[in-house]
Amino acid sequence: MEDCTFCKIIKGEIPSTKVYEDDEVLAFNDINPAAPIHILVIPKKHIKSLLEVDKEDERLIGKIYRIINQIAEEKKFDKNGFRVIVNCGKDGGQEVEHLHFHILAGKPLGEKII
Ligand code: 5GP
Ligand code: ZN
């Protein structure tokens, strides 16, 4: 089966502007930013969506949140704050079927759904 868009980014087959990388996690700028700072954080393991997260992924998901907080400090938007969004499935508006965490920052993010 063909790799998904984000697996291609992980493999370097699609270029991206990387913000963070280790053996398990990659963070890169969103191609169509919805805020001055819009970073996607993904596990290198191809997990289709939040619904596919298994018990064995619990440590990895915790690590992703720690990396988000590290990026916030490094990029200096920790003090002003930010928003983390995970879209899941059709009604959630998920377009790329590889689990990803949107980080939005750099301005008051305005309208809140909740
Ligand atoms: P979703 O709607 O699935 O939650 O978010 C997918 C996100 O991936 C969108 O914000 C979209 O702009 C971003 N995206 C889709 N294709 C690419 C790509 O090839 N490169 C980068 N950097 N971002 C992408
Ligand atoms: Zn993938």
Side-chain angles (χ1 to χ4, degrees), residues 51-112:
L51 284 172
E52 305 280 317
V53 172
D54 283 334
K55 180 136 187 72
E56 66 174 33
D57 304 318
E58 285 176 354
R59 183 195 55 80
L60 178 59
I61 301 303
K63 176 178 170 176
I64 285 173
Y65 275 101
R66 188 177 53 72
I67 288 165
I68 289 171
N69 121 24
Q70 197 176 305
I71 292 171
E73 286 178 8
E74 278 170 17
K75 298 274 177 197
K76 305 201 183 313
F77 56 81
D78 54 332
K79 298 238 170 5
N80 281 347
F82 56 97
R83 196 173 284 165
V84 176
I85 296 173
V86 178
N87 295 321
C88 184
K90 185 166 65 67
D91 284 359
Q94 183 178 1
E95 285 175 13
V96 178
E97 290 196 329
H98 182 128
L99 178 64
H100 51 281
F101 296 71
H102 295 260
I103 308 175
L104 298 166
K107 67 167 189 182
L109 292 163
E111 251 181 88
K112 286 171 58 176

Side-chain angles (χ1 to χ4, degrees), residues 6 9 28-32 40 87 93-96 100 102:
F6 289 172
I9 286 176
F28 53 96
N29 288 333
D30 196 291
I31 203 168
N32 184 22
L40 299 172
N87 295 321
Q94 183 178 1
E95 285 175 13
V96 178
H100 51 281
H102 295 260

